[in-house]
Amino acid sequence: MTTRLLLISDTHIPGRSRRLPDAVVREADAADLTVHAGDWVAASVLHDLRQHGEVLGVYGNNDGEDLRAVLPEVARREVEGVRIAVVHETGQKQRREERMDVAYPDADLLIFGHSHIPWDTTTPRGMRLLNPGSPTDRRRQPDHTFVTLELADGGIRSVRLHSI
């Protein structure tokens, strides 16, 4: 069996956009699980995403008490034998891989946000680090972005960065 995930972060709604882009909504409909790595800003984004399927998320530094009351700082789930951890912030990019190996020794895949910069690396231990960027606030990046990936048989089968 293959499980399809949609990864998004840093939507900053309504500050950066009034709603999720159509491409993100289409992918949420197609995904088995949507993962949001924080900075939703409005709790309505969580409610809207749940209308399109199952959501795993964490709160970010720009999220208020309403989101912090229903979302954890770190979320964990095993999907298709892949141990996933989700967090908003991982700190500076220097030595990120080594620091995350220590911080998340029981994860195979760490999904994070905060920087709005897409990131795809593997730690010395073999954990995959993915930051989907932002579908609504590209900051200094050339495009708004999100990620889709497929998990099967205990591994990551495909990772695709989408530009909007």
Side-chain angles (χ1 to χ4, degrees):
M1 183 173 171
T2 300
T3 301
R4 182 179 173 89
L5 278 67
L6 164 64
L7 311 183
I8 58 175
S9 186
D10 298 284
T11 46
H12 291 270
I13 291 172
R16 299 295 184 220
S17 178
R18 293 193 186 277
R19 61 184 184 83
L20 291 169
D22 291 341
V24 171
V25 173
R26 281 191 302 274
E27 290 295 340
D29 285 335
D32 298 300
L33 177 65
T34 296
V35 179
H36 193 301
D39 275 3
W40 314 67
V41 179
S44 61
V45 180
L46 174 58
H47 174 75
D48 290 347
L49 276 175
R50 285 180 170 162
Q51 303 307 305
H52 299 278
E54 188 177 358
V55 177
L56 176 66
V58 297
Y59 67 78
N61 61 299
N62 285 297
D63 294 326
E65 288 304 316
D66 55 344
L67 285 160
R68 290 170 188 253
V70 296
L71 296 171
E73 182 178 11
V74 177
R76 297 176 189 275
R77 168 108 33 110
E78 186 169 324
V79 178
E80 298 294 335
V82 177
R83 298 169 302 167
I84 300 170
V86 185
V87 67
H88 183 61
E89 296 186 55
T90 60
Q92 297 204 12
K93 67 180 179 181
Q94 290 80 13
R95 301 187 47 79
R96 177 177 284 143
E97 291 78 9
E98 292 82 0
R99 287 184 288 107
M100 295 307 102
D101 264 348
V102 172
Y104 300 94
D106 58 346
D108 303 310
L109 169 62
L110 177 64
I111 301 162
F112 66 100
H114 189 61
S115 69
H116 300 222
I117 299 170
W119 188 273
D120 183 356
T121 59
T122 302
T123 69
R125 176 176 67 72
M127 177 174 48
R128 189 81 172 259
L129 303 180
L130 292 174
N131 182 329
S134 172
T136 55
D137 185 9
R138 63 184 176 91
R139 291 202 179 154
R140 293 172 296 280
Q141 299 305 301
D143 298 305
H144 298 99
T145 59
F146 64 90
V147 166
T148 56
L149 69 130
E150 293 182 350
L151 304 176
D153 303 320
I156 299 169
R157 293 292 170 242
S158 68
V159 175
R160 182 173 172 215
L161 177 68
H162 301 259
S163 294
I164 302 174

